[in-house]
């Protein structure tokens, strides 16, 4: 199983946990007040990443105010950051009282060749959205960021698709800042 599919299965498990309201309070460092610019770009026409591709700090892509507007108070907890070790990263913010959450997963360089998502989603059947976004079960929105296959998961409504518009807005912020 590829690293991408392993991460996808982990994200699906997080979504299921949120749906069952059995999430765990987030922990880690406090989020940045201001998003940081990040680097790393593909070289050549194949979209292959160079060794110099810098990791993207997923937690620096949204401000605490932007997160609170979506999920409410995060209590005394900060975002939970993850580093894939291959240039990708993730960040999860969670409201421990409501289990509402936002997760950003920035893929490794070269996972979206030519700025296009892979044809097959790790989640199986997806629905197309605007601007190259596709929606997967569990509130997940897949998108390309240069040569990286990325995801945003918003969990505030588990009974319908109203989180999709929020995910699209957050993807716009991520694309502008990364």
């Amino acid at each position: 199983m590829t690293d991408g599919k392993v991460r996808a299965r982990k994200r699906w498990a997080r979504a299921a946990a949120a749906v069952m309201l059995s999430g765990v309070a987030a922990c880690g460092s406090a989020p940045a007040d201001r998003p940081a610019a990040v680097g790393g770009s593909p070289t050549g026409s194949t979209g292959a990443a160079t060794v110099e591709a810098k990791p993207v700090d997923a937690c620096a892509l949204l401000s605490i105010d932007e997160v609170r507007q979506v999920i409410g108070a995060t209590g005394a907890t900060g975002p939970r950051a993850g580093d894939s070790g291959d240039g990708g990263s993730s960040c999860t913010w969670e409201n421990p009282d409501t289990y509402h959450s936002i997760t950003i997963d920035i893929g490794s360089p070269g996972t979206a060749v030519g700025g296009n998502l892979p044809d097959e989603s790790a989640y199986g059947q997806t629905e197309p959205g605007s601007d190259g976004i596709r929606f997967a079960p569990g509130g997940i929105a897949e998108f390309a960021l240069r040569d990286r296959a990325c995801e945003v998961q918003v969990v505030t409504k588990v009974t319908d698709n109203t989180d999709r518009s929020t995910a699209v807005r957050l993807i716009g912020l991520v694309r502008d800042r990364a």
Side-chain angles (χ1 to χ4, degrees), residues 33 50 57 115:
D33 287 339
T50 64
D57 181 359

Side-chain angles (χ1 to χ4, degrees), residues 47-114:
T50 64
V51 176
E52 302 91 35
K54 295 177 183 156
V56 175
D57 181 359
C59 291
L61 296 173
L62 297 178
S63 72
I64 190 64
D65 289 336
E66 291 164 336
V67 170
R68 286 183 181 146
Q69 288 173 9
V70 176
I71 67 171
T74 58
T77 63
R80 187 174 55 242
D83 181 354
S84 65
D86 56 3
S89 68
S90 64
C91 191
T92 300
W93 295 265
E94 184 177 34
N95 180 326
D97 296 326
T98 62
Y99 299 105
H100 292 176
S101 65
I102 298 171
T103 299
I104 298 174
D105 185 12
I106 305 297
S108 305
T111 54
V113 177

Side-chain angles (χ1 to χ4, degrees), residues 25-58:
C27 60
S29 61
D33 287 339
R34 199 177 288 193
V38 292
S41 61
T43 61
S45 61
T46 64
T50 64
V51 176
E52 302 91 35
K54 295 177 183 156
V56 175
D57 181 359

